[in-house]
Every structure is written in C-alpha cells, then in structure tokens.
Amino acid sequence: MAQVDAPAAHDINEIRTTFVHNLAKGHTRENSLKIAQATVNYIRRIIALEKYENIEDLLNVLRTHLRYSISLAPTELVVRNIFLIAMKLAREENMRVLVGVDKEVGNPYDSLNTLWKAEENSANASATGKKMRKGLAATIKEILVELDSSRELIVSRAVLQLNDTVLTYGVSSSPTLRFFLESARRTIKMRQILSVSSQLDDHSGPDFTSSISLRDVAAAMTDVTKVLLPVSVVFPDGSALMPAGSLSIAHAAARHAVPVYGLAAFYKIAPYYSADAASAVNAQAGIGLPVKLADSLRHRVILSPVFDVVPAHLLSLYISNSGAVLPSHMYRLIADYYHPEDLTEEL
Amino acid sequence: FSCKMPPKEDAKNQDAQRLSAVIIAESFEPRFHPITSDKSFGDLAICDVRGIDYSLRWLSRCDIANVVIVVSEKHAPAYHSIESLWKGVFDCVTLVICQNAHSIGDALREVESRNILTGHFLLVPSPISFCSSTLENQIKAFKQRFKKDRNAVMSLIYSESRGDGTCVAINENGRMMAFHSQSDPSQLDSETNEFRATVTIRNDVVDTGIAICSLQALAHFSDNFDFQTRDEVIRHILVNEDIMLQYVNVDVLPSFESAISVFDYSGLIRSNSQLISRLFFPLFPFKCNKNVLINSGNVITSGRQRVRIDGWNSFVGENVSVGTNVFVTSSSIAKKCTLESNCRIVESIVSEGSVIGEGVSLDQVFISNNVIIPKGQILPKKVVIGPNVKLNGSIKVKEGSFISCTPPDEDIEDSVETEKLFDGVYSWIGKTGRDWWSGEWIGREDDDGDDKKDDNKEKEGEEAEDEEGEYDVERVFTSEVLDSLRPALTDKISQETARQIIVEINSSKIAYNISMDRVAALLFVAFLRMPDNNVFSNLKKRMDNYIQILRNYYSNRDGQLGLLEGLNEHLSSNRESFSPLVAKTIHHLYEKDILTEESILGWHEDLEKNDPMIPLVKELIEWLEESDEEDEDEEE
Amino acid sequence: MELEALKSNAISNLNSLMKNEPNISTGLAAIKTLLKTLEISKATTAIELDAELDAVVSAMESTDHSSTSIRSASNLFRKFISLAPADLIDQPDFVNILNFYNNRGRIFIERVARSRDLIGKFSRPFFAHSTRLLTHSYSKVVLSVLRKAQESGVDLEVFVTESQPNASGKKMHEELTKMGINSTLVLDSAVGYLMERMDAVIVGAEGVMETGGIINKIGTLSIAICAKMMNKPVYVMAESIKFVKEYPLNQSDIPEEFKYRTSVRAGRKDLSSEHPEVDYTPPSFITLLFTDLGILTPAAVGEELIKLYT
Amino acid sequence: MGKNKGKSQGGSPSANTGNQQSPKSSEKPKQSEPVAAPAAVPDAPAAANVEQITEQVNNLHLQNGEEANRDDVMAARKAKAAAKAEKAAKAAAKKEADAAAAAAKAGGEASTAAEPKQNNEENKDAERGGPPQSEMSKEEILAARKAKAVQQRAEKAAKAEGKHKQDQTQQLGQKEDLQSKSNLKQASSSPNGNEKGVRFVAHDQKETRDSIHNAFKPLFDRCESGDCEGPDELCLHFMECARQFISQFTWDNEEQLGTMMDDSLSMTLKAITQTDRYPLPYAMGNVVRQLRKEIMQVGRNAMTKRHLLEWLDDSEQQYFSLANSAISQHLQGKIAAATKIITYDWCPVVNHVLIDSKTKGSLKKLTVLDAAKNGPGVRHLTSLADHMGYVEYGDLTAVGSIFERGSLVLLGCSAVLSSGRVCLPKGAFQLSLVARAANVPVLILAPTYKFVDRAQAASRFALLGKTPLDILPPDLITAIVTDIRLLPPSSAPAVLKAKALDDAN
C-alpha cells in the first residue's frame, strides 16, 4: 500500500475508489494499524464532504460507504470496526447536540434499557447535521490519537518476566508485536525470543530474535515459557482471527501448557461474530509457487489462507490497550466502543 | 476529455519521470469480432468483471502516472465511465479515440500523432492483460539501460512457461538476438545468425506481449505506415540493427511472477482459469457492492446467494441457477446463467445469460451471451459459440469451429469455410489449417504473402500447442546433423573433415540447445539414416569411415547409452529394414571399442521386458555375459 | 378471598393461553396473565398490588407449567414495570401509577414477543450449508431459530433426541419435518454414537442461571458433556425472560420446584423416588448463549442478571 | 605420534627405530608374518608391540579382532591397487616380465619381497593361514596365486588409461601409510584409543570416502550431494549397493568368504557411521543387521553368494513392494469410507497407497501439505497428475482449514520406536495435534522393517545427516498400519518380537 491516506481530492467517490483500491492493492496484507488509520481518514473525509441532515442520514451515509468497502475487501474486518466506532461516536455527538453535554445518557447496554427500546428515536429526526459535523470531525480525529497511543498502552502491560523464553509468530508483519518485544527487552532480561516464520530457514525476523520455521514449533515448544501472537480480529466470545499457522502453534502451546497471549488493540475487537468459518477461509493470499509449477497445478486447489480462527479456549489472555483481558470477558470491552443499534444492522 | 498533463520534460531526467501506460482497448483480431460484436474487446467480461478493469487494476499497482486508453470511435461512449472510475487512482486517464484503426500499429500511430506521451511508456497490447508483478525492477533496468545507451529502445516482458512458448535468442546481457513466435528455432528469423557461446536460446519462456518502450520505439510505427503488429517493429529493429544500432531487450520475469495478455481463445480460457487459481494475485474478481466470497475448494461466488456446485477453482456469478449434481472446474459461469442438473463444465467460459442443458458436458469451450445448449447436445473441445446461438441438441459440431447466428462478414469470409447447420446457425472453420481457437491470424497476410511458410508455421504452432515443440526441435536437429555428416562421402574421412563435422554438429547443438545425451542419440539416428545403410556391408564401412566422429561422441558411458538409445529410436521408425542389422551393428561397434560391454549390458538391463529390441540382441547379450563370467572367474 | 378469585382466574387464564396459543412461551403466558391482573387490579396502594401479584405468581407456579420460566418471567416483569421515574412514585393517586405500570407492561410484552426473532437473527451466521445439529427435547425457541435459518435458504440436518420420559422430542421432530427441515429422531442413548458427526449442539433452556449455566429438560447435561468431550460447540437459545436469580452449585442443589412438577410435589415429603424433570448444565459445558440481549458467553450472563436486578 | 604409542606399549628401543623407518620398508619376515599381520603394519617392532594386544584382543574381544583383520584387508586391497597402478605406469611390454618377477619373488622366498604390497600381502595371507606350523606350505600357494592375481590386475589396469591411475597411485601411496598408522592405533589401543583412530578418519571426508568399499561409494556420494529423498530411497539404494558389493567381492577360501565379506562390509559401515558415532537411519540399520546375519552364514552350511543375492532380492520385495501392497490392502476399506485423505510431506508408501486407491476409484478428496510450498509433497501431486478428483496442496499454515467431517490423515514415517513413538518429518506433530482437535484419526504407515528396538531417537543420522524429525507421541496416533495389520502404537514391541528385529537377535 503506497499511501494509505486518501489523496487531497474533493470528489468523495474518488476518495472511496482510492481507499478500497488501496485495501486490495498490496501483495501482502498491510498491517491493521495502517488500515485503521486509512479508514479513519476516509471517514473524516466522508463526514466533511457528504451531505446529511440528521443522525439517521449520517448513519446511512456511513453504512453505504461501509458496505461498499467491505464488498471489495470483505476480509478487512478492521475497516468494519472503525466504521462502527465512528457510528457510535456520531450517535453520542448527536445526543450531545440534542440534550447538552453534561446530561446523563443511559448506557445502551443496560439490559433493561435494551428491553425498554421504546422507540424514542424521534429525537433523531431533528436536523443536527450542521452542528454535528464540526464536533464529530474533532471526536473522529481523536480515534487517530487513540490509535497512535494504543501501541504504547499495550506495551505498558508487562506480561513478560525474567528469563522467559518467548515464542512469537509473524513479528515481521506486525509492528505492534515487534514494538512490544523491543520495549520488553529494554526492561526485562529474557532468555530467548524465538520468532516463527512460515517459510523454511527465513531469517527476516528482527535481529534480537532467533528464527525458527513453523514446522519446528512443536519441538521448540518444550522450553518455551510464553507464546505471543498478533491478533487480527477478536470476536466477542474470545475467539480470534490470527495469522494462518497460529492455530497449530496454539495447539502445540496448549499441549505443553504454555500460556498464549494475544496482542489486540481496541480497533481489533469486533462486536459481531465471524460469519461461519468462511470469513477466515475467505482471505486467500497468492499461491506462492513458481509459475511453471503453478501452471501445471492449475487444476489443483492451492491453499494459502491468511487467517486461522483460534478458539477462545486455546488463548490465555488478551493484551489490549485497556488492560489484560480474559478471552471470556472480551465482550465487556464492546460496550466501550460500539452502539448496539449499529450491530443489529445486517452488513 | 480534460486532463492535467505533466509538464513536458527533456529526456535527460526521463529516468526520474514515472511511466505512462498505453492500453489498446480493441482487439484487431478478426476472430474476436463476432463475440464482442457491438462492444470493445476490453468490455469482454472475465468472471463478471470487464477485462480492462483487471488491466487497470494491475497498472495501478505499478508505478504508472498516466494511463492512455486507445479505443475505437464506436466503442468510445462506454469508456467515459471507465475513465471517471479510474481517474482517482492514476494522475490522469486519457482516452484516445481513433476513427478507423485496423491494427495495433494504427492505434499507436494515433497515439503518436496526439503526442501525449512525454517519455517511456508501458505498452499493453491487449485490454485483457494481467500480471502479478509490478514490473518495478524491469522498469528500473530499462531506464538504466536507456540512460547508458539511447539505443536500448524497447524491452519485452517474458514470463516462464512450460516450454510451449516463444523461442528467443538472447545474448549475455539480455539483448535479443533473434526472435520467432513459434517454438521452432529453425525459424529464428534473424539476418545475423551467428551463434556465439554467449547467446542462449530459450524456448521455456513465453512472450507476455507487454513491453516497456521508449518514444523512439513508438516512432517506428509513425515512420513506417505498414507496420501492423509490435512484432513487425521488433523484427525491423533486429534486422536493421547495424543501420539503426537500436536493439531490443528481453526481460524474463522472476519465476514466481506470471503475466499473460490475451490474443486468442486459448489465451482467454487460460487467463480465466489462472486468474481464478490466483496466479495473478492480488488481481482477483472484484465487484462493488457485491460480496465476492472464496468458498472452500476455491469456488468463488458473487453476491449473497449460496450456490452448491461440485468442483473447484471456479467462479459463479450472481443469480446463477444451478441444478443438482453440477460439476464446474477451472471455469467461470457469468451472472444470470442457468446450469441444469448433471452438467459438467471444465476449463470453459460461460458468458452472461446462457443456459447449459441437462447432462451437457463442456471441455475447453467458450460460450458467449444468451446461448442455449439444450440437453443432449455434444460439443467437442475448442469450440466457440457466438452470441444468442440456440442449438437444437442434435447437430454435429466440429472441433475448433465457431458457431454463429450469422454468416461471416466480408472482412473474414475468405479465410473461413462456412457451413449452414440449420437456419440461423452457421459453423465457421478457419481455412488452410487456420485454427479458430489459437495461433496468430492478424498481420499474416501483410507478412510477405509467403503463405506456405505461414502454413507450416501454423502447423508448428499447433504442435507447439500439443507440447511437441521439443520433439519438433529434435527432428530439425537430426536432419541438420544428417547434412553435416556429408552422406556423399564414401571413403574414410580425413582428420580435417572430421573436425569440421564435429564443429558443425556442436554448433547445431547450441542452436537448438539439445542436451548432450540427446545429441548422442540423435547423432546416431542421423548416422543410421544415411543412404543405403540398410545393407550391413555399407553400414559397416560407414562405421569404420566415421570412426573418429563416433569416438569423439561415444567415449564415455552416457554417450554410448545415448548411441544405443538412438539405435532403438531408429529401429522403432523403420523396423523391418533395420531389425536384422541391429545385433551386427552393436557387435561391430563393440569390436571397434566404441561400445564397452558394460554399457551394452547396462543398456540391455534397462530395456522393458517386452521391448522388441530384446529378441534381436538376445544371443549377443548372452555371449557378452559369458565372456563377462569368464574373466570374473579369472579374477577368482 | 378475592385474592383466591384472582388466583383461580389467573390459573385458568394461564392454562387457556397455553392451550390456545401453542407457540407462546410459558414465560410470555405468565407475564400476560400478570398484565391481566394489572388491568383488572383495584389496588390502591403499592403494597396491595404487590400482594395481588404475589398471589397470582404463586398461583401460576402451582400449575404444572415449568415453574422456572414462570418465576423468572414474572420477577423480570415486576422489576421492569416498577422501574418508574421518582416523581411518579410519590403521586397521591395510585391509579396513574397503575396506568403507568400497565403501559410499561404492554411495552415489555411486545418487546418480549419480539425476542425470538432477535435470537434467530443473531444466530443466523452460525449456520452454514448442510450443518448438522443435535438438539434435545422440544424447544419453541430452537424451533423458531431453525425456521429462520431454513427460510434464509440454509439447509440443515437436525437430529432430535427422543428425550424420554415424555418423549417431547417426537413433537419436535414432527414440527421440524412439517417445516421441511431434514430431521431425524434418535434415541437418547444414541447421543454418544452420533456426536462425532455433529457440527454443533443446540438446545433451549427452561431457565438461565446466574452461573451462566442452564436448567433444561433432563438429558441436556449428558449431551453437553459428550459434546465437550468431542470438541463440539454447545449453543443455548434462551429469551432474556428466562434469566433466573438462582445459583445452583450442582445437580442436588437445583431447587425442588424446578426439578419436579407441582402435581408431583404436592404434599409429598420424600421425592427421592421421583424422576426429576430437569438437570443443571454448568457453564463450562456451554459455548455461547443466544439471547435477545445478544450473543453472550456464559460469563456474561451473570453480568446481565446483575444489570437486570439492581 | 607413533613414537609415543610405541612407548605407551612399553615397547623396546627398536620400536622407536621401527617407527622412524618409512613404513614402506620391511624386514625380518619370519617374525613379522604371524605377528605383525593383525595390525598390517610394515615395520615389525611396532607390530611386535601390537602382537600381545591383538592376541588378547583376539582372545577376549572378538569384535576388535575382526577390526584388526578388516583393517589389514583394507591395507591389502590398497596395496594391490598400488601395484596395479605402478604396473600401469610402466610400458606395456615390460609389465608381463614384471608380473612374472613378482610371481617368482612371491613363489620363492616371499619373506624377502621388496615391495611393500608384497609384504602386506604376506602378512595378511599368513595371518589368514591360521595355525603357524602349516604356514610355509600354505604361504607358497597363496603367494603364487596372489602373484597371478596381481598379473591379471596389472593387465586390466594397463588396458585402462594409465595416466589417471598414476595420480591415484600417489594418493594410495600416502593413504597406505596413513592407513597403516591408524590401523596401528586402532589395533593397539583400548576403546578410547579406538576413538582417536576414528577421529583421524572422521576429520577428513575424503578419508572416509576412501575407506568405503567401492560398491557403496555411489550411496555415500549421493548422500553427500544431498539428493536423497529419505530413508526408503536410502534403503533401496543400499540394497542395490549391497548387491554390487556381494557380486564384486571375491575370496579364495569359501569357508572364510562370509567372514571376510562381513569384515569388509562392517568396515565400510564403520566409515559411514564414523564408528557408530551416528546411527544408520533406523530402517536401514535393520536391513544391514539382517544382511550381516545372512552374510555370516555364507561359506557355512552351503550358503553361497547366489543364495545371498537371492535373499537380498526377496527381502527387497518383502520390505517394499509386498509390504506396500499389503498396507494398502489393509487401508482400502478405510479410505473408501473417508471423505478426504490428508497427507504430509513425501513418503513412497503413502504414495503407493494413494495411487492404489486412485486406480481402485476409492480416493475422493486429497490434501497434500508440505512444511513449505514447493516441497517434497509435490511429488504426490505429480504422481497423481491424472487423478480427476479434488486435490488441494498447501503448506503448514493451511493446517487450520483442511479438516472436514470424515477426513483421514495418512503419514509415512522413518521409524517406529519400541516405545510406540514414531519418527516422522518435522511438522507432522502439529498436523496431528490439529487433527486430534478436529477428531480426525491419524494413521501411520510403517512397513515392519521400520520398527526399531529403541526408546529414544537420535537427532542426527549417518548419511542422512540432520534430518528434521518430529517424534510423535503414541497418544496422537490412532493406529500404525503395518504389512501385518493395523496396530495400536502400544504393540510396537510385539512387532519387534514377531519380526525378530529386537536386540535379542
């Protein structure tokens, strides 16, 4: 992805094309932080350029844009998350405009309120578009700040201890994980950091790690004390999308009773469940074979999944910027970022 | 169309300048006209997506500033939407609308006349061209070359393939020495046919058609108005190398990158299945507001509906109704199609709105829009069905034919034989071995009218299709060796001639890049082929005469095995005449110490039990084995 | 005396509801009955009203309908309607309050009526083509969920356990086949044999406990254990009105009124010889609960209950 | 070096002098014949020291005794080669005469033979000659025969290009005395001394290669060049070489043929395994063990080379073709029942089964995984190129998305340990773990010759070097499919017993 920020064009459609185009452009998947940032910028432009009278309009505008982008990059769940976050902020902004800042707004996740559901959304009809635009622009911008800070926050959660032997996967593709390890090294003296690579003898991992290939994991696991995995998306039940190959690592860890930690910044916490396993199978990378061979295997199916779905029970803890969370308690964080009404929408 | 052009830059900092790309949105291939009818070739959908959209998508990954799309007047309207869709992605998308272009040549001339190209450009000769690579390195390399030497005017992008590709001679620094579009080195057309050691001949690569060109290359078209195809320009450059000092480079993509541009139906089918099996990743069937899902087995479905087909590596568009037990593999089914129960579709394309009847089986068939193939209709391979054709289920369709609702129009009618199947349905078949399915048609008439050459070229082409290209090379090689062997000679050949002969054989070896052991075999085949060798006395004499040659090639065991292999091949080709001579020949060679007993025995062991050779050499082998036993005993 | 009247026509009310509307859930029937009492209530103070409602609830619990559902539903209902703004409470005229309660009640009921659809909607992505499901006994929620899936063009294979003693599975099986869902009736004892071929286990619940575990038709536990053993997910479909303030520690800790029908319990000291109606499935055997509040992990249920009852 | 050794043996001053002399020189044959022989050392005094040791060795340590013999067989062979080459170097005309001379010398007072080879020959022959008293007469015959042999060889050698041989002569020349030195060490020292001797061999690849019998050199080279797909191919190749070896090996004395063969074979093995530092690949180890058992029989109870070769042939059949078809027999039912077959990496047995079931039409879906794309597993795909069914290929990252209802995992292995654990290509462990989680049975295909009586597996093997192996614990294995029948991993010892592969024999 050459430039993730939308260009300074002023035709919203152009921006949209560029955005979704950039999503599908890269040969290897861009790291999700970049995607998240790109999405935020995209949304900012939408809010700036699109026309909307009241909150409903705005939400619809956002939804259409969301639909469009996920149709072209169905596997980029992060885009979805960011959009939904933005929608929640929009609702809040709307409320703020309507009932003033300090007025207490009932938590939409309070069960009784959800039961209440007396459609008093009549308020939404009132035209607040103009007023919202300004405030919203600011609040959305805050997401960017939060995104940038998320790394530091995650790093501040110290889970590594003295003389740990840590096994990691996909360090080269996850800057967050790399950042985490680097800063951890500064404070703690670890025995060894093994970085697993899906290729054989590829040493692309950072220099302070010792590279092993995926097939060596089971053997290596015997002297590993902690496993650190990058997370692409966490689902409310605590299961997660992780780079393909993580599943077998997690199983190996489970067999040797080694705790598995997942690094999941807030924008990776999805409020919805993975539509069957498809969403994981869905993302397929290039076939990674020399053309000659590939062509002779043209009528065979070449598997190169991007993600594994790792069930909650294989994971010990998620390290998110708002703290270390048990998989079974992941759902708690959802309320902080999403509005239930947005989630009932079929996307 | 408005467009902000980058300021004209002088050639000095051309290497800083980003490339433009020129896409020819039309196909000037007459065989495509009937199926594209009122649309441009670029509009032809692959997996429900316009072909040209893939090309543009690919280009957008490359470091391309401006895109120039050349389209004919009557197709222009459709392209304004394309322009607006993509102008966000490139600095600028320009439409060049030309009145009556009949070839790539004309199209490029048009572009040249507009002079909107300011520097190097990427020539995409077919609107349906995919590439998995961003060509970053190739472009860089080209720029560097050009900086050093302004005469490196063009570099052609080749990709590796399974030896069924172009055959090209390249020198040590990737410079093209000779070029031919059939995999038949004997027709490497180049005036300077000297093969230095530094020249390698590759027939394991295929021309993707994509080329990086400098403005000089473009100039050739405008200078010479009867150039139709890119290849003509290349030939022109090669031939006049010593006059113009210009040359062409060949850049072979790394083994993990693939590229293709479509010029015929086989290419179309191939590109389709390769695209689906992700050879051009990240290029992929994509569609706005329609979820494109990869289901297990790499069955790509578009839209929300859940189709249930057996098979894999296939694309199924939206609103396709599928019967039970439908098998689809390496094929794409466009939207609104109907597949009735038990039909079987392999390596085919079914375009929008067509109906495939119950139990119909398609293998390598292209089906255009709104075609109806009723139950019971049998279609052979390599058939193209034109738009709106309704078959009745019982008619005979010939392999390699084109089925249309209309008789051919004048621009093609003299090159096809037409047959009326029943009213409203005609079958076209290319004349004089012209294959509707694959091979070149365009620019041939203008070549130099030498039709015979063309035809056998065509045939070689087909053989290349059947991957017999190699065998073919060997045949030519053998005959050449046969000449070199000077069959006329009757008495013992002198040191001098021996040397010459060996040199000649070796040079042809290089020319056809034949492996050493094959040379060994083929040489002996050639040797046996020499006139009146069917009488042993002559043959014996010959063997004595050519003893030096034989010594030279059959000193080591492999060589000897090669010899015997050759003997085998010769036998298989003319059994009755040669079989009586086999044993004698081998024995004589043994006597002459050309063959050692071990190699003979070794060779004999490797023969299949039922090999016709076995009985012929039975005694000989026994005899050898005995003698072998003996000296083993001696050693005791 | 008039409380007695209330009780009696509450019971008749409930029974008629259950009889005439086969698809109505016990819980819903219960709260409808309660609403009726509200409508006809002559109470002039909150205390009186509470007394009436208490009477009605106990009356309903005395019927043979699942008292688990009845209790949870009525608790929730009463909690909900009494959720009134402060300024209303200290109004002199109790009638306004009653009216307020009434329309709160109506809102609640219509909301509850929608909950099955919601559950169906939430659970939709969990069913792919030719998913094989094992279900236990007869459950209206499960039925409606499966119907929804079926309608959205997914063809399922459902295996229904006979679930003795009352063979309620048979009914389930019939309903499913009526809907055109490919269903098979299997012996309760065949669960172990079948499990490896299943994709998921999907059951309803009579009550969802604070533990996140469920109380359901006897046999559920053994199925859940079996599923866990073979790494198959266990999904529970339950409306939020089935959330009960109850914390069973183990099977023996299940309240008797849950375990046995009232008729069975009536005036009996020793129930040890009786066969219990339900068993308790601890949260560790449950993958997810699909409720109208959303898809919850067992851990989340406790939280929701706290939100509900505080 | 040699000096110290001499001392350490408490050798007389003559020992030193002896060591100072060039090994090519020789003297006092009478003494050297019976004594120096075992060590095959030209210089007597050193030999003298060796004598006692070898004797006790011979009495106590039959093993070492054999070693000694073996060593000097080696020396002898080299010497012959040297002779051959020298002859070659001379003009063709002269060579007959020379040979005659050699014959004469040998036939006459052999003890005063000038050339070292002569000397060695005699030492050896004498040593073979058994009881000293009969040695004179014996020796004469031997000498004569040997001379003849030399002559024949010389002629042969001359026929071939002399030049190239000549260089070899030098090499051999040097080699010879190196060799003899090392022999001295080996023979004359206790096990740890042995070690030294080995290190001497080990530190030089070429050294190792030279001490391998010609018949086995191709095997060695192949593995050096690293184009060996695994234990199965290795075994086959070994048997091929063994065939060569047996048919090439000649010995005058029928009784001793067996022992001599075994000697020279075990010497080769020593070189290959760098004196047991690295075990042979287990399967191959079994084959070797069996083979040597047979070889020892040769010469006794009318067992001849021909028998040996026959034995090789049918055991090859047994181990490979028969075992494979038996295994696939056992599996057909299961494969027919499975909706999808999953395999990992390359294994000829698995491949055989797959092709078999393809032809029988019982193969439905097939998944082939590799540690990394474009790995050995591709061979499965190419061998099944004509299979019309669904075939998918991927690397370990795909392991999460391949298992479906009714799948079946088939894995080849390089050995089954007595503990029921199985050595198989790295990565198979993870595959099995995920398979277990998906309730997919994992079958190990193992012909019985792959069962070894060991609890632990080595990490490094002779020839195959550091082959990346996973050790799969029994609890992840549903069954081991052998040519006998399907077995639970726990019954590995039973197989060992049944097939007499355990250490007992």
Side-chain angles (χ1 to χ4, degrees), chain B residues 220-333:
Chain B
H220 282 297
F221 283 100
S222 44
D223 300 350
N224 186 336
F225 271 83
D226 47 2
F227 279 162
Q228 299 299 312
T229 65
R230 189 202 65 180
D231 293 359
E232 286 171 64
V233 173
I234 294 166
R235 293 215 184 88
H236 175 69
I237 294 175
L238 285 176
V239 171
N240 307 329
E241 187 178 1
D242 32 15
I243 310 163
M244 306 186 296
L245 302 165
Q246 294 186 335
Y247 56 89
V248 176
N249 279 75
V250 171
D251 223 329
V252 180
L253 288 170
S255 62
F256 277 77
E257 304 286 8
S258 55
I260 191 172
S261 48
V262 174
F263 292 104
D264 56 13
Y265 286 95
S266 65
L268 203 55
I269 295 283
R270 197 185 193 75
S271 64
N272 178 62
S273 75
Q274 286 185 342
L275 181 77
I276 291 169
S277 44
R278 298 202 309 285
L279 250 72
F280 303 110
F281 186 82
L283 268 195
F284 208 70
F286 60 96
K287 202 127 174 63
C288 302
N289 294 324
K290 299 278 178 304
N291 292 10
V292 174
L293 281 189
I294 309 174
N295 307 283
S296 59
N298 195 32
V299 174
I300 306 157
T301 57
S302 173
R304 293 196 178 282
Q305 108 253 17
R306 296 159 170 269
V307 294
R308 303 192 66 186
I309 59 165
D310 307 342
W312 53 91
N313 283 351
S314 42
F315 172 89
V316 180
E318 330 145 48
N319 313 331
V320 173
S321 73
V322 179
T324 59
N325 181 28
V326 169
F327 180 87
V328 183
T329 288
S330 307
S331 313
S332 70
I333 313 298

Side-chain angles (χ1 to χ4, degrees), chain A residues 21 282 285 291 295 299-300 302, chain B residues 60 255 270 274 293 313 330:
Chain A
H21 172 80
N282 211 334
V291 177
D295 199 46
H299 305 313
R300 302 312 191 192
I302 307 298
Chain B
S60 69
S255 62
R270 197 185 193 75
Q274 286 185 342
L293 281 189
N313 283 351
S330 307

Side-chain angles (χ1 to χ4, degrees), chain D residues 334 409 441-445 474 476-482 486-489:
Chain D
K334 310 238 177 284
V409 177
V442 176
L443 302 186
I444 307 294
L445 276 51
L476 290 178
I477 301 168
T478 319
I480 300 178
V481 189
T482 71
L486 270 73
L487 304 161

Side-chain angles (χ1 to χ4, degrees), chain C residues 132 197 199 230-231, chain D residues 405 436-439:
Chain C
R132 283 194 192 168
R197 276 187 272 158
D199 293 316
M230 301 200 183
N231 321 329
Chain D
R405 205 185 295 135
R436 151 64 53 85
N439 309 328

Side-chain angles (χ1 to χ4, degrees), chain A residues 20 41 44 60 78 133 142 152 173 181 197 211 218 226 231 248-249 256 297 301 309 313 343:
Chain A
V20 292
N41 289 323
R44 282 167 67 197
N60 289 331
V78 169
R133 185 162 293 180
E142 279 164 21
E152 281 71 7
S173 59
L181 290 170
S197 134
S211 306
K226 284 191 176 70
V231 173
S248 66
I249 296 179
H256 295 84
L297 297 182
V301 175
V309 181
H313 67 85
L343 306 184

